[in-house]
Amino acid sequence: MICAISGEVPEEPVLSKKSGLLFERRLIERYIADYGKCPVTKEELTMDDILPVKTNKVVKPRPLQAASIPGLLGMFQNEWDALMLSNFALEQQLHTARQELSHALYQHDAACRVIARLKKERDEARMLLAQAERQIPLSIASAANANNIVSNGKRAAEEELGPDGKRIRPGINPAMIAELTECNAMLSGQRKKRQISPTLAPIDALERYTQISSHPLHKTNKPGILSLDIHPSKDIIATGGIDTNAVLFDRSAGQIICTLTGHSKKVTSVKFVPRDDLFISGSGDKTVRVWQGTEDGNYNCRHILKDHSAEVQAVTVHATHKYFVTASLDNTWCFYDLATGSCLSQVGEASGEEGYTSAAFHPDGLILGTGTSEALVRIWDVKSQSNVAKFDGHAGAVTALSFSENGYFLATAALDGVKLWDLRKLRNFRSFTPYDSDTPTNSVEFDYSGSYLAIAGSDIRVYQVASVKMEWNHIKTFTDLSGTGKVTCVNFGADAKYMAVGSMDRNLRIFGLPGDGPEEPRSPDH
């Protein structure tokens, strides 16, 4: 008599009325309670269908293994093996517990160091606050002068509103259009005659590039460089950071020229304007500031522009150096007169669904490219402010745009990598997917000669620019030395003699040939 479930002699046997099968009482009771069926025939079964079987109470026979010495030895061996396995599992648990304890002690030590640093910063902030309170009486006297800062080139009270409640923009007049057209014709003619500079860094030099300096420009409590720009004629680099500051850095001297404060949120875009020594910064506080250089090397705020209703994501300067465009997450872009700070035209409808995340002027100045948060690239005719082409195919927000100096190629970056577009045929002719699907490409940049293309994401990759049909060769990959795994911006210096790189730490890094860079400075924390 064997149980149909366990295959052993039952201690309390019962019989099924329906199937005639024998079961151990406790096993069949549990099975019926769980499933309500016979475990063998799968018929409906209740405890009323079970009959107990009366048997003689006999001594349970000894197991077969214990009936001989070899069987007993086998049982002992099995017990010993089980004991060893249990001991091994306990040792593993002990090792894991030790690792967790070590990690917890390390976290505690790191937390203590962070607390000490925060206390130091708190004391410094209290000291600065006390100094500011002492200077308040002095600042009251100059409060009237502060009201003279121009906002959009005119007083807020003088701004005229249309019937729909929107600001009336003067528009781009025919004289400006003629100026833009003349600039386009001149630059197009020069481009056809221009030769690549003989002093351009060759490919074998780029292959030997390495980090030659690192400069801590931004605050330690809010690290992260979101944008950078290099002055076209001076060896000066500008960076915009999460700490709300823009920093101008003299690369040859290895020193900070000045730190521009005034924005209340992260600085998302910075651009030099060589004419009249101007500088533009866009911020997450919805404003754009135009800064004027002074004789002592500092910069004063000349205009505060407040035309956008959401974060300003990009600033791009026209080739005439008289106009510039800002693009915002409010789904509009603004065309400004640099001299007056007035918004001549605001294109687009304010929307919370889609916004502009990047923008760049074509080298000739009559075409504007914008990237949106909805993975769309739009090409605009600047003279008419009309959308003349759309490029789709990206995944995720378009984080960066760069036109090649030859005027034919446009590079766009997004979550899925970089796409290259032929502006003559309005088609995508090549794509780079350097990273996995969770790692966005944050920056893409052609050098001034149009010979090299840099891509930045979790590292920096440089490619040799070729034609539409020829392969674009990968020259070198530079590891992100910040340890953050996120390179946010990259730019080529003059003749591609060096590269400036910003990451999500506070340091500006310079890559070039060993021995070409200035000595590593010891800048104090800001």
Side-chain angles (χ1 to χ4, degrees), residues 391-454:
F391 297 148
D392 54 16
H394 269 301
V398 179
T399 54
L401 297 171
S402 181
F403 286 95
S404 172
E405 191 60 27
N406 66 12
Y408 301 145
F409 300 147
L410 168 65
T412 59
L415 179 64
D416 57 349
V418 170
K419 291 185 182 295
L420 299 174
W421 309 87
D422 185 347
L423 298 176
R424 295 164 295 186
K425 298 183 178 179
L426 300 179
R427 67 180 184 90
N428 170 225
F429 67 90
R430 183 165 280 101
S431 298
F432 298 111
T433 311
Y435 313 114
D436 59 48
S437 58
D438 296 326
T439 305
T441 303
N442 301 311
S443 180
V444 62
E445 190 75 28
F446 285 101
D447 78 306
Y448 178 72
S449 70
S451 301
Y452 303 116
L453 176 72

Side-chain angles (χ1 to χ4, degrees), residues 303-365:
H303 301 297
I304 302 176
L305 313 177
K306 302 178 180 180
D307 295 286
H308 289 294
S309 59
E311 284 189 14
V312 178
Q313 290 285 295
V315 175
T316 179
V317 180
H318 189 268
T320 58
H321 298 159
K322 295 182 179 180
Y323 310 100
F324 69 97
V325 162
T326 61
S328 168
L329 289 179
D330 64 5
N331 199 32
T332 67
W333 58 268
C334 294
F335 187 91
Y336 288 96
D337 181 352
L338 195 53
T340 63
S342 59
C343 178
L344 302 178
S345 179
Q346 187 167 13
V347 181
E349 295 294 330
S351 168
E353 299 177 359
E354 183 183 272
Y356 293 113
T357 51
S358 53
F361 269 115
H362 186 274
D364 293 342

Side-chain angles (χ1 to χ4, degrees), residues 458-492:
S458 59
D459 54 29
I460 308 104
R461 305 188 183 202
V462 179
Y463 293 83
Q464 180 185 12
V465 174
S467 63
V468 172
K469 296 182 179 180
M470 295 180 63
E471 190 65 28
W472 293 41
N473 295 324
H474 176 224
I475 298 175
K476 186 171 182 179
T477 297
F478 300 91
T479 305
D480 173 30
L481 299 178
S482 70
T484 62
K486 187 175 182 181
V487 182
T488 53
C489 44
V490 60
N491 214 325
F492 287 98

Side-chain angles (χ1 to χ4, degrees), residues 157-172:
E158 296 174 1
E159 291 178 344
E160 299 179 2
L161 299 179
D164 56 356
K166 296 182 180 179
R167 296 175 185 173
I168 299 176
R169 307 295 185 188
I172 303 176

Side-chain angles (χ1 to χ4, degrees), residues 11 21 29 148 169 186 227 251 284 354 388 394 439 503:
E11 295 181 359
L21 296 171
E29 284 181 349
N148 292 330
R169 307 295 185 188
M186 180 186 67
S227 60
R251 188 186 76 93
E354 183 183 272
V388 295
H394 269 301
T439 305
S503 304

Side-chain angles (χ1 to χ4, degrees), residues 273-294:
V273 185
R275 190 179 72 90
D276 297 333
D277 198 16
L278 296 174
F279 177 75
I280 307 172
S281 61
S283 170
D285 62 6
K286 309 175 187 178
T287 69
V288 177
R289 288 177 179 248
V290 180
W291 308 80
Q292 174 71 63
T294 60

